[in-house]
Amino acid sequence: MATLNVLIIVSLLYVVLLFTVAFAADRAALHGRGAWLRSPWVYTLSLSIYCTAWTFYGAVGYAARSGLEYLTIYLGPTLVMIGWWWMLRKMVRIGRSQRITSIADLISSRYGKSNLLAVFVTLLAVIGTTPYIALQLQSVTLSFAAFAEADPDAGVLNSPYTALWVALGLALFTILFGTRNLDANERHHGVVMAIALEAVVKLFALLAVGVFVVWGLAGGIDETFARIDASEIARWDVPGSRWVGLTLLSAAAFLCLPRMFQVLVVENEDESHLRTASWAFPAYLMLMSLFVVPIAAIGLDLMPKGSNPDLFVLTLPLQEGREGLAILSFLGGFSSATSMVIVAAIALSTMLSNHVVMPIWLRMTGNMAVMSGDVRQVALLARRLSIAGVVLLGYVYLQLSSGGAALAAIGLVSFAGVAQLLPAMLGGIFWRGATRSGAMTGLLVGFAIWLYALFLPSFGASVIISQDVMDHGPAGIGWLRPRALFGAEGMDPLVHAVMWSMVLNTFSFILVSVLTFPKPLERLQGAQFVNVFQHSATTGSWTGGLAQSEDLLLMSQRILGPTEAQAFFTNAAAHQGLSGYLPEPSPDFLQQLERELSGSVGGATAHAMISQIVGGATVSVQDLMAVADETAQIMEYSSQLETKSQELARTARQLRVANKKLTQISDQKDTFLSQISHELRTPMTSIRAFSEILRDSDGISEADTSRYSSIIHDEAVRLTRLLDDLLDLSVLENGQVVLNTEKGSLSALLERSISAAGGEKGTLDIRNIQPEKDIVVTTDLDRLAQVFINLITNARKYCDAKEPVLTITSSRNGGDVVIDFIDNGSGIPADMHAVVFEKFSRISHSRVGGAGLGLAICSEIMTRLGGHVGVVPAQEGTAFRVTLPDSATTSGAKTIA
Amino acid sequence: MTKRVLLIEDEPNIIEAVSFILTRDGWDVKTHSNGHDAIDAVHNRTPDLIILDVMLPGRSGFEILQDIRADQTLADMPVLMLTARGQEKDREMAQRYGASRYMTKPFSNAELLANVRELIAP
């Protein structure tokens, strides 16, 4: 009999299935397919990570030990879900509008984007979650061992390293599917899909075992009830205080557990999904708990005395020889354990990298990091290392605690730990008066009491806190006994610790909040959180100058990636009615940008990064007044006036820019005559001088005669070329051009242009980077080639690098074809970007090579082809971007009179 | 003794043409082709006459002319200015800054020789 072998094979196949599902879901989401990924059902199922191995195995054990008390663990979340309208909806709305990445981010953002608070919440979350992860690993080990026991020839395979292998596998899965995108607000479709599948498996497994127990072992419903009545479970008497305490505790934990926050708020796709989940998730919980009592009762009845009730779900089928069912049950427990670890690791790694690693890294590398370092890679690496660290920390904890306490006990200790976040969080979203100092004090007090009265004693007597201290208090001070603080004797230890920690936490939070004065930014954030449903727009807080837009773009490219950042900036600019890549750094824009960035690196870090460039947020008196008294409509009106006047100021600035450009153009027009005169007269001078020499002089050698003739010839050609250019430009400008549209390969066209652009001065190194699949364009190929040749020749003439390199990159951006020409020279100064495409504009006279018509012609041609050519700011050197629309065919009709 | 002419001009073909015409007429022609250190060239070569183009890389001919006139030792140096820009404004500027003669490109060879001869009787 090789049950264990079968089990291992089935488990491995199951793991492969999970990888495949996650991979397929990620692919589907990437290609914009799979609307079903965003269904409320997937959301509801993903919430079921609340049901961990603790619930799957532990609930039966819990019922066997304490009767119906296990129901409290399901009652809390049910109450929260049914009352979703009141609280969850607000959390989700805040999470979306502020681009919250984790519970630490939520609390830190609310209290003035304080990173200290975020670090503290992160630490608390890690300490609270580590035992829980250990618990999951332990449950897999135990269930595996249960099989090994039943299998006589398990010897070799029953390795003590099961937990380690599971930990490594989970870390790998989470890194693969959890850190694909940097932006935590871009949902992890693969992960969510995998845990939804696991949710189905664990429910099915538990129901199957339940059905087997009720109809297979007990012999029907009536029989089962009779057996339950006869067992000890029916006689358990649960004290009321414990019922209420546990229900509230599980409700609090449901909201505060980092992994629950991750699926509830961060992974939430649509607020309306809550409506479905509000009844579907309690129904799921009810099904999960349906057979718990029967399994516990029959287990107590049938299993030998002293067998672990935590494993009844597995050992009952095994004992009855139902190996298939036992394997299914194992998969259920395995699913429960793995899904919890995966999501918890993602949630904690986001917190660790955003609030601990990134701020330290930014401080260490100073301001320059934002401009030059590769922030994305650092953030991703930090996140990956954090995942591995968190999972391994769970493993280490398991080894250290050697699995001493019963499963349910560790779960409740964890619950009580993270529940300490509740006052700060609820206070933050419902009470404007809550302050950072209050939140910090409350958290510290609650955390300290939890540590002292519950967490440390949970390791067992005399492990960390000595028996003497437990019995008589530290240094014999009776009212400091961990189990009887302030003389509250005879209480249940858990209820005792939860009561004191929560009461004192809440009390100090409120007291300190009332006594301290919030900083301006806290006030603003407080108003936005508490009134998230009323505030459509937010009060402006950033002020910036135009020069900073380019720096901001530079920074955003490092964090969001060049394509996304450029798209974001272009959209913002278009929204403001500007063309090009650089929008006005209006308060609105800066706020949007901060949100966008906070999706990647968290609110506090994003705020710090922007203030490095813009120089600190200013909160005006008006902002504060508006927050302090929003009932006064007049305030609203005055703030509208304020906005209007800001808009006017911005319009004025745009007009000034336009005016400056007009003046520049007028100056250029003035110099136009000089320019054209110079370009015509210079070759003319040589022609005249040499033709007179040839005419008037005798005795010129044969060689000289031929050289002088060829000079005359060359200069005549130069004149002709200039006239051609002028005529070409004039034709293009008048729109009388006839386009000869044909289909052709872009890469072939570029090759042709590179060789046509000549290599007489072969110093320019041209790198032509093409996508794997060649792009086919339908346009006037000769005209397009003319543009390419001009841009290449330009780089050859003006790139001032020691070893000039021109990189040509073609790509598809949505429907458009984008071709970038980027050299490594010193680039074009920002104030010249607008005029380089004007006729005869040369950036300096020092390097003459053409008449200054090339770019003007390029620009005209691209307009005729329905596309565009422009300068891309904030690149290594000079960067020209040619954009050709997908429907380049239609541009032939564009003939403007 | 042969009179020395310094030609400050950046178009190689024009340099060649002017050098040919003047050399054949018995002048010693030296050339210089950028604006940056034109003044140094003037000091080094100590010419009897300077032919100066207006549009030069580095510095404009007008600036160089101002420097020449500001220098005590060069104050009386004959300067013949060449320009391809043919606008009245340029002629006025050249006169204001103290050019001895002013010619618009293209010019005839005879005209050039006549001007040079008039500026310095050989």
Side-chain angles (χ1 to χ4, degrees):
Chain A
M1 185 171 103
T3 324
L4 200 63
N5 287 331
V6 174
L7 179 75
I8 292 175
I9 292 169
V10 170
S11 310
L12 287 179
L13 285 177
Y14 184 63
V15 170
V16 170
L17 175 71
L18 288 181
F19 271 83
T20 317
V21 165
F23 185 70
D26 258 357
R27 286 300 290 264
L30 190 69
H31 294 293
R33 281 181 281 119
W36 46 276
L37 287 175
R38 285 177 278 281
S39 93
W41 301 106
V42 171
Y43 178 67
T44 307
L45 285 174
S46 73
L47 292 187
S48 77
I49 55 152
Y50 178 76
C51 303
T52 62
W54 175 36
T55 326
F56 191 83
Y57 294 123
V60 172
Y62 203 156
R65 290 189 198 92
S66 327
L68 289 175
E69 194 182 287
Y70 80 95
L71 280 177
T72 54
I73 304 303
Y74 297 113
L75 268 179
T78 303
L79 290 177
V80 171
M81 285 312 292
I82 290 174
W84 65 283
W85 188 257
W86 176 67
M87 189 156 56
L88 277 183
R89 194 173 69 106
K90 193 160 187 175
M91 271 169 66
V92 170
R93 179 72 68 89
I94 291 171
R96 294 181 74 85
S97 70
Q98 299 277 327
R99 313 242 330 159
I100 297 295
T101 59
S102 64
I103 186 163
D105 198 18
L106 178 88
I107 293 180
S108 121
S109 292
R110 160 61 180 87
Y111 297 106
K113 308 185 183 181
S114 150
N115 205 43
L116 182 68
L117 203 51
V119 169
F120 188 72
V121 174
T122 304
L123 285 182
L124 202 151
V126 170
I127 295 175
T129 309
T130 304
Y132 216 116
I133 291 179
L135 172 67
Q136 310 304 317
L137 297 176
Q138 185 199 18
S139 79
V140 176
T141 320
L142 281 182
S143 55
F144 208 75
F147 265 91
E149 235 168 74
D151 188 349
D153 38 72
V156 195
L157 288 165
N158 187 17
S159 139
Y161 296 112
T162 315
L164 184 61
W165 286 119
V166 172
L168 289 178
L170 285 173
L172 180 71
F173 181 91
T174 316
I175 289 173
L176 270 184
F177 293 101
T179 57
R180 209 155 253 206
N181 317 315
L182 184 55
D183 193 338
N185 265 19
E186 276 176 30
R187 284 137 195 95
H188 305 97
H189 293 285
V191 173
V192 168
M193 209 52 222
I195 59 179
L197 174 70
E198 292 194 303
V200 175
V201 169
K202 65 193 178 197
L203 180 63
F204 182 70
L206 198 60
L207 289 181
V209 173
V211 168
F212 166 70
V213 166
V214 171
W215 282 278
L217 292 180
I221 296 172
D222 295 341
E223 291 291 320
T224 311
F225 273 117
R227 305 267 288 257
I228 293 171
D229 278 341
S231 78
E232 292 170 38
I233 294 174
R235 286 193 291 280
W236 287 112
D237 186 21
V238 186
S241 72
R242 209 170 141 85
W243 261 90
V244 175
L246 285 179
T247 305
L248 289 182
L249 182 61
S250 61
F254 184 70
L255 290 168
C256 296
L257 280 167
R259 66 171 198 278
M260 289 316 296
F261 191 87
Q262 178 81 22
V263 286
L264 266 175
V265 178
V266 181
E267 303 278 350
N268 178 281
E269 197 72 56
D270 186 337
E271 212 174 280
S272 67
H273 289 177
L274 281 174
R275 198 183 292 270
T276 310
S278 71
W279 61 266
F281 184 64
Y284 183 95
L285 290 181
M286 199 201 78
L287 287 175
M288 282 299 276
S289 59
L290 196 59
F291 288 108
V292 166
V293 171
I295 296 174
I298 310 290
L300 283 175
D301 207 19
L302 293 181
M303 296 299 289
K305 280 276 176 238
S307 56
N308 186 355
D310 281 335
L311 288 175
F312 279 172
V313 179
L314 194 62
T315 46
L316 262 178
L318 263 185
Q319 170 154 318
E320 299 298 321
R322 299 298 184 100
E323 269 143 23
L325 187 62
I327 288 178
L328 179 64
S329 161
F330 173 83
L331 286 186
F334 184 73
S335 299
S336 317
T338 51
S339 52
M340 179 272 163
V341 177
I342 290 166
V343 180
I346 290 180
L348 288 181
S349 75
T350 308
M351 289 192 205
L352 280 170
S353 85
N354 282 356
H355 302 301
V356 182
V357 180
M358 291 304 288
I360 292 176
W361 184 74
L362 279 179
R363 185 158 301 179
M364 271 168 43
T365 49
N367 286 10
M368 288 315 292
V370 179
M371 311 304 293
S372 62
D374 193 340
V375 183
R376 279 164 77 79
Q377 283 312 314
V378 173
L380 277 178
L381 186 67
R383 223 165 265 187
R384 286 175 184 150
L385 289 180
S386 306
I387 288 175
V390 164
V391 177
L392 289 183
L393 203 60
Y395 175 74
V396 170
Y397 181 91
L398 177 64
Q399 295 303 311
L400 289 184
S401 69
S402 60
L407 290 179
I410 311 186
L412 285 177
V413 171
S414 269
F415 271 25
V418 294
Q420 302 306 323
L421 299 176
L422 192 71
M425 186 170 83
L426 285 192
I429 62 179
F430 286 106
W431 182 36
R432 295 247 305 264
T435 69
R436 189 177 83 102
S437 311
M440 198 70 207
T441 318
L443 281 174
L444 276 173
V445 169
F447 181 64
I449 295 175
W450 170 73
L451 213 58
Y452 180 66
L454 196 60
F455 185 67
L456 297 181
S458 78
F459 283 91
S462 304
V463 175
I464 292 179
I465 296 185
S466 70
Q467 192 60 46
D468 185 50
V469 173
M470 296 293 286
D471 290 342
H472 306 291
I477 305 170
W479 57 272
L480 280 182
R481 274 172 291 163
R483 292 263 150 97
L485 287 172
F486 312 109
E489 285 190 58
M491 283 177 76
D492 178 86
L494 180 76
V495 175
H496 167 265
V498 169
M499 181 196 82
W500 281 122
S501 61
M502 292 302 279
V503 165
L504 292 180
N505 177 340
T506 312
F507 178 74
S508 46
F509 167 59
I510 294 175
L511 184 73
V512 176
S513 288
V514 169
L515 291 180
T516 55
F517 197 73
K519 282 194 263 174
L521 191 55
E522 280 180 67
R523 289 210 169 211
L524 285 179
Q525 288 295 97
Q528 283 184 29
F529 273 55
V530 175
N531 300 333
V532 67
F533 292 115
Q534 289 92 42
H535 276 257
S536 49
T538 54
T539 36
S541 56
W542 292 104
T543 48
L546 186 58
Q548 285 145 355
S549 285
E550 193 162 352
D551 287 346
L552 288 170
L553 175 58
L554 206 58
M555 175 188 76
S556 310
Q557 288 186 141
R558 308 265 179 222
I559 298 169
L560 305 172
T563 321
E564 286 81 359
Q566 282 165 19
F568 180 77
F569 273 66
T570 316
N571 277 344
H575 199 68
Q576 295 177 357
L578 299 170
S579 64
Y581 293 88
L582 299 180
E584 287 275 323
S586 64
D588 280 347
F589 167 68
L590 289 170
Q591 202 132 22
Q592 278 171 21
L593 181 65
E594 187 187 333
R595 296 245 168 91
E596 197 69 26
L597 293 180
S598 68
S600 295
V601 291
T605 309
H607 191 77
M609 283 175 156
I610 291 195
S611 33
Q612 275 186 356
I613 291 179
V614 182
T618 52
V619 179
S620 68
V621 177
Q622 279 84 348
D623 291 340
L624 287 179
M625 298 277 278
V627 173
D629 185 11
E630 86 249 35
T631 52
Q633 276 190 329
I634 199 145
M635 276 301 162
E636 185 70 16
Y637 186 63
S638 108
S639 94
Q640 277 172 9
L641 280 180
E642 177 88 0
T643 319
K644 283 253 161 58
S645 105
Q646 280 176 3
E647 267 169 24
L648 282 177
R650 222 170 301 133
T651 314
R653 180 142 59 149
Q654 285 167 9
L655 281 175
R656 271 200 298 281
V657 171
N659 186 35
K660 201 172 141 204
K661 195 180 163 194
L662 280 178
T663 324
Q664 270 174 332
I665 290 175
S666 145
D667 285 347
Q668 279 189 333
K669 198 153 192 168
D670 232 21
T671 52
F672 176 85
L673 284 176
S674 306
Q675 288 277 5
I676 204 158
S677 160
H678 180 264
E679 297 301 328
L680 289 169
R681 284 171 189 270
T682 302
M684 210 76 100
T685 311
S686 303
I687 293 173
R688 185 162 176 194
F690 281 112
S691 55
E692 284 185 15
I693 289 170
L694 290 175
R695 187 192 63 195
D696 301 337
S697 315
D698 304 321
I700 302 175
S701 71
E702 190 88 350
D704 279 349
T705 310
S706 124
R707 206 158 62 80
Y708 294 159
S709 313
S710 67
I711 289 177
I712 293 173
H713 174 259
D714 289 348
E715 295 287 14
V717 169
R718 177 171 158 192
L719 270 178
T720 318
R721 201 166 52 220
L722 176 65
L723 289 176
D724 280 348
D725 275 0
L726 275 173
L727 286 176
D728 200 12
L729 193 62
S730 146
V731 166
L732 283 164
E733 277 182 338
N734 292 331
Q736 298 156 337
V737 65
V738 178
L739 291 176
N740 176 19
T741 304
E742 37 187 345
K743 230 178 195 172
S745 140
L746 184 65
S747 65
L749 192 66
L750 275 166
E751 287 299 334
R752 202 177 95 198
S753 311
I754 291 171
S755 59
E760 64 255 34
K761 278 198 288 173
T763 46
L764 183 70
D765 180 8
I766 299 177
R767 293 174 194 165
N768 186 2
I769 301 168
Q770 294 299 317
E772 280 173 27
K773 200 173 151 234
D774 189 26
I775 298 171
V776 175
V777 288
T778 310
T779 184
D780 188 324
L781 297 179
D782 290 335
R783 283 295 187 180
L784 192 58
Q786 195 183 347
V787 173
F788 292 162
I789 293 170
N790 255 315
L791 292 177
I792 298 169
T793 322
N794 242 27
R796 177 161 281 141
K797 272 189 227 153
Y798 298 110
C799 178
D800 53 3
K802 259 207 189 103
E803 287 167 10
V805 177
L806 175 69
T807 311
I808 305 175
T809 322
S810 314
S811 60
R812 265 190 188 281
N813 183 5
D816 297 347
V817 177
V818 175
I819 307 118
D820 285 341
F821 294 77
I822 304 177
D823 71 25
N824 59 346
S826 52
I828 302 175
D831 56 335
M832 295 299 292
H833 286 181
V835 294
V836 288
F837 293 102
E838 307 292 348
K839 279 170 293 214
F840 291 112
S841 75
R842 253 181 273 164
I843 291 172
S844 72
H845 291 301
S846 61
R847 314 193 41 164
V848 192
L853 292 175
L855 284 178
I857 292 176
C858 287
S859 177
E860 284 297 331
I861 291 178
M862 288 318 295
T863 311
R864 292 301 144 223
L865 297 183
H868 178 72
V869 55
V871 183
V872 191
Q875 300 298 321
E876 193 189 353
T878 305
F880 286 106
R881 167 167 296 177
V882 177
T883 314
L884 202 63
D886 200 17
S887 54
T889 35
T890 56
S891 59
K894 266 195 186 172
T895 310
I896 304 158
Chain B
M1 193 189 131
T2 329
K3 293 286 186 182
R4 289 183 301 263
V5 175
L6 176 61
L7 170 62
I8 306 175
E9 162 70 68
D10 65 325
E11 274 286 324
N13 290 341
I14 299 180
I15 295 175
E16 177 150 11
V18 173
S19 302
F20 180 89
I21 298 161
L22 292 181
T23 313
R24 204 183 44 179
D25 200 47
W27 298 80
D28 175 15
V29 183
K30 296 278 186 268
T31 61
H32 187 83
S33 60
N34 73 70
H36 297 288
D37 45 0
I39 279 291
D40 297 340
V42 172
H43 282 295
N44 292 337
R45 308 270 187 200
T46 56
D48 298 305
L49 168 74
I50 297 171
I51 302 179
L52 180 59
D53 186 33
V54 172
M55 277 175 92
L56 287 169
R59 288 182 84 207
S60 93
F62 290 130
E63 287 173 278
I64 298 167
L65 178 61
Q66 279 172 286
D67 283 1
I68 291 175
R69 289 304 177 225
D71 191 325
Q72 286 291 321
T73 56
L74 301 171
D76 297 328
M77 173 75 65
V79 177
L80 169 59
M81 290 217 74
L82 302 179
T83 176
R85 285 200 300 206
Q87 276 171 318
E88 198 48 41
K89 207 170 67 179
D90 288 357
R91 180 177 292 277
E92 283 165 17
M93 261 163 87
Q95 270 169 4
R96 185 146 29 97
Y97 295 139
S100 315
R101 286 287 163 95
Y102 181 88
M103 286 175 73
T104 304
K105 295 176 183 175
F107 39 77
S108 76
N109 297 353
E111 194 185 343
L112 176 70
L113 275 176
N115 269 317
V116 172
R117 284 182 189 143
E118 271 175 44
L119 280 173
I120 294 193

